[in-house]
Amino acid sequence: MLPFITRRTLGAAVTLLIIAAVTFFLFFAVPADPARLACGKVCPPDLLEQARHNLGLDQPLFAQFVAWLAGIFVGRDYENLDYCPAPCLGYSFVNREPVFETILDRMPVTVSLTIGAAVVFLIFGMATGIIAALRQGKPLDKIASVASLIGASVQIYFIGTLALYVFVYKGQILERPQYLPFTENPIAWASGLALPWVVLAIIFTANYTRMTRSTMVEQLSEDYVRTARAKGMSGRTVVMRFALRGTLTPIITIFGVDLGTLIGGAIITETTFGLQGLGRLSIQAVTDSDLPLLMGTVLVAAGAIVFFNIVVDVLYAFIDPRVRLG
């Protein structure tokens, strides 16, 4: 197990390095001048050159990338700016604030949105899929299949806007979604994110319902499940102890990918509901051509996906004894 984790960790580091390098060098293919953005609307040539020098943009591209990469591990000195301790992701070109602190400030919003939605769509998706598999061909199964198809077809920006209109603006049943720290008021934290959780869960629940149903139907026809039934085990024991265990493997696979993607930033959801998370932050970085901020958000998003993929691979060996990690 330890050699496998070591190999995957090294592979993840190489993957993140490649993603960071590609993002960094593609950024300079954009015609916008980040030095001019940092200097302001009225910027004489001498001040523009000074801003370019202070930001390190007068150095070769490879030297800039190496300096940025080294700052993550050992920190970095900036002219006319405070020392940036490790892990240093640089200072924003636009507001001159540390990128790492900005990401940490936005992270609780995205994590709260992800955790709440993940709990909802995982529980409801798997439960609906199991019930549909056990009632295969019956009306309940058909209703679940149609509902999952509709859920997978709608888009977040459509159903989110519709939910805002019906429950917030028109019906005034709920307040406009907002984020309040969990440590300050857990009830306000949950009520402020309840509508985004439900909307985000509708999309993902459909995928988990279909995946759980199809995998559960396949597992119920396996020889070891029929053997367990022949030995006189109850239906609940057969489903929960044998069939469900085999169903968890593909579910965990897509759950790991979805969780990593959402941690990286639910861009459409955050934009629809006006939540200031990592998704909105990444859009802001692209709009402002803010390279340090863009690099930081891309690295966090890629790191989350890679990390949860490693966790999923490790969990395989514990969930399914037939899987062996070499």
Side-chain angles (χ1 to χ4, degrees):
M1 180 69 71
L2 184 59
F4 169 79
I5 297 177
T6 302
R7 290 196 305 271
R8 287 303 308 269
T9 303
L10 293 176
V14 173
T15 301
L16 293 177
L17 178 61
I18 294 174
I19 293 174
V22 171
T23 305
F24 186 89
F25 291 108
L26 282 180
F27 174 84
F28 287 93
V30 180
D33 185 0
R36 184 170 297 278
L37 294 173
C39 187
K41 294 182 178 180
V42 180
C43 186
D46 56 338
L47 293 181
L48 180 63
E49 291 301 323
Q50 183 180 355
R52 185 173 285 107
H53 175 72
N54 293 337
L55 295 173
L57 298 175
D58 56 347
Q59 300 294 323
L61 290 183
F62 184 75
Q64 294 181 43
F65 178 71
V66 172
W68 176 83
L69 193 63
I72 298 178
F73 302 98
V74 298
R76 187 177 177 183
D77 286 315
Y78 285 88
E79 295 188 23
N80 299 330
L81 291 172
D82 296 332
Y83 173 75
C84 182
C88 176
L89 297 176
Y91 285 87
S92 169
F93 285 167
V94 177
N95 53 30
R96 302 297 182 89
E97 294 181 356
V99 172
F100 185 70
E101 294 182 5
T102 302
I103 291 177
L104 288 182
D105 184 60
R106 298 289 188 94
M107 182 69 76
V109 180
T110 301
V111 172
S112 298
L113 179 63
T114 300
I115 292 177
V119 170
V120 176
F121 67 66
L122 188 62
I123 293 177
F124 280 92
M126 290 192 62
T128 306
I130 292 173
I131 294 174
L134 296 177
R135 302 291 187 271
Q136 185 180 3
K138 296 183 179 180
L140 189 60
D141 178 27
K142 296 179 181 179
I143 293 174
S145 299
V146 172
S148 62
L149 181 61
I150 295 175
S153 302
V154 297
Q155 299 296 323
I156 293 178
Y157 57 81
F158 169 75
I159 194 172
T161 305
L162 183 62
L164 280 174
Y165 175 77
V166 173
F167 296 103
V168 177
Y169 301 126
K170 186 68 175 179
Q172 296 183 352
I173 300 175
L174 300 173
E175 296 183 357
R176 182 175 178 82
Q178 60 179 333
Y179 171 77
L180 293 174
F182 177 83
T183 54
E184 294 183 6
N185 192 332
I187 297 178
W189 170 80
S191 61
L193 295 175
L195 191 59
W197 285 348
V198 173
V199 170
L200 193 60
I202 289 176
I203 309 298
F204 286 92
T205 297
N207 296 330
Y208 285 84
T209 297
R210 293 188 298 172
M211 178 66 71
T212 303
R213 180 195 177 281
S214 61
T215 310
M216 178 65 73
V217 169
E218 180 181 349
Q219 291 296 318
L220 290 174
S221 62
E222 292 287 344
D223 292 338
Y224 67 91
V225 174
R226 289 198 294 264
T227 302
R229 286 175 172 172
K231 289 183 177 181
M233 294 184 178
S234 64
R236 176 178 297 180
T237 302
V238 171
V239 172
M240 302 303 296
R241 184 177 177 181
F242 296 99
L244 182 59
R245 191 170 185 177
T247 305
L248 287 178
T249 302
I251 295 298
I252 287 181
T253 301
I254 62 174
F255 183 69
V257 175
D258 291 340
L259 203 60
T261 303
L262 291 176
I263 289 292
I267 297 176
I268 300 178
T269 305
E270 292 176 4
T271 302
T272 302
F273 293 100
L275 299 174
Q276 300 297 326
L278 291 180
R280 291 287 296 274
L281 189 64
S282 63
I283 294 296
Q284 176 186 337
V286 173
T287 303
D288 296 339
S289 296
D290 195 341
L291 176 60
L293 192 58
L294 177 63
M295 293 286 291
T297 54
V298 168
L299 197 64
V300 169
I305 294 174
V306 170
F307 171 76
F308 283 108
N309 274 316
I310 296 176
V311 172
V312 165
D313 290 341
V314 173
L315 288 176
Y316 279 168
F318 294 96
I319 294 176
D320 194 342
R322 297 172 296 180
V323 176
R324 293 292 179 264
L325 302 178

